[in-house]
Amino acid sequence: QVQLVESGGGLVQAGGSLRLSCAASGRAFSSYTMGWFRQGPGKEREFVAGLHWRRATTIYTDSVKGRFTISRDNAKNTVYLQMNSLKPEDTAVYYCAAAIYGSSWSISDFSSWGQGTQVTVSS
């Protein structure tokens, strides 16, 4: 398994931008499907964005389409989440997750998780 450490969270005004990073340690990073999830106050953890390990295709939950972009740099063992046009409803703890040779976006399919980074969007 890989170990994941997120960074880049913080407080931003509505309409602003943040870029989250997730650094992975371990072997074969390129074999991992990567996902970003979030958990808002009083809410369940939800899928936000994902990047397939082989096809390099991306997928987003509807509420962030056109505003968030997931990408990865395999040379740096890092996955990113660029978040633009942030809204107060984006406020949550954001988690990075990894699934070796993963092909689905269910929380239960991701075996490695970071500790999370807080994103707060003020109105």
Side-chain angles (χ1 to χ4, degrees), residues 17-58:
S17 298
L18 283 174
R19 188 175 81 155
L20 306 183
S21 298
C22 173
S25 60
R27 300 174 63 182
F29 175 72
S30 62
S31 300
Y32 283 84
T33 285
M34 301 301 296
W36 284 97
F37 294 78
R38 67 185 179 187
Q39 187 165 13
K43 298 181 180 180
E44 294 186 351
R45 192 170 299 189
E46 64 172 351
F47 172 81
V48 175
L51 199 158
H52 192 272
W53 72 275
R54 186 182 65 182
R55 296 191 296 269
T57 53
T58 56

Side-chain angles (χ1 to χ4, degrees), residues 40-105:
K43 298 181 180 180
E44 294 186 351
R45 192 170 299 189
E46 64 172 351
F47 172 81
V48 175
L51 199 158
H52 192 272
W53 72 275
R54 186 182 65 182
R55 296 191 296 269
T57 53
T58 56
I59 184 171
Y60 301 91
T61 192
D62 286 346
S63 62
V64 309
K65 285 181 181 177
R67 300 188 298 122
F68 290 12
T69 303
I70 185 172
S71 62
R72 70 192 297 163
D73 185 338
N74 288 337
K76 295 182 177 180
N77 280 16
T78 301
V79 64
Y80 305 96
L81 185 67
Q82 178 67 44
M83 306 186 295
N84 299 328
S85 303
L86 282 161
K87 305 175 181 180
E89 51 264 43
D90 294 319
T91 295
V93 177
Y94 282 71
Y95 299 89
C96 173
I100 191 164
Y101 304 126
S103 59
S104 74
W105 311 108

Side-chain angles (χ1 to χ4, degrees), residues 1-6 22-27 29 32 34 77-78 96-98 111-115:
Q1 290 188 347
V2 292
Q3 289 74 50
L4 305 172
V5 178
E6 303 98 333
C22 173
S25 60
R27 300 174 63 182
F29 175 72
Y32 283 84
M34 301 301 296
N77 280 16
T78 301
C96 173
S111 58
S112 299
W113 292 82
Q115 82 289 350

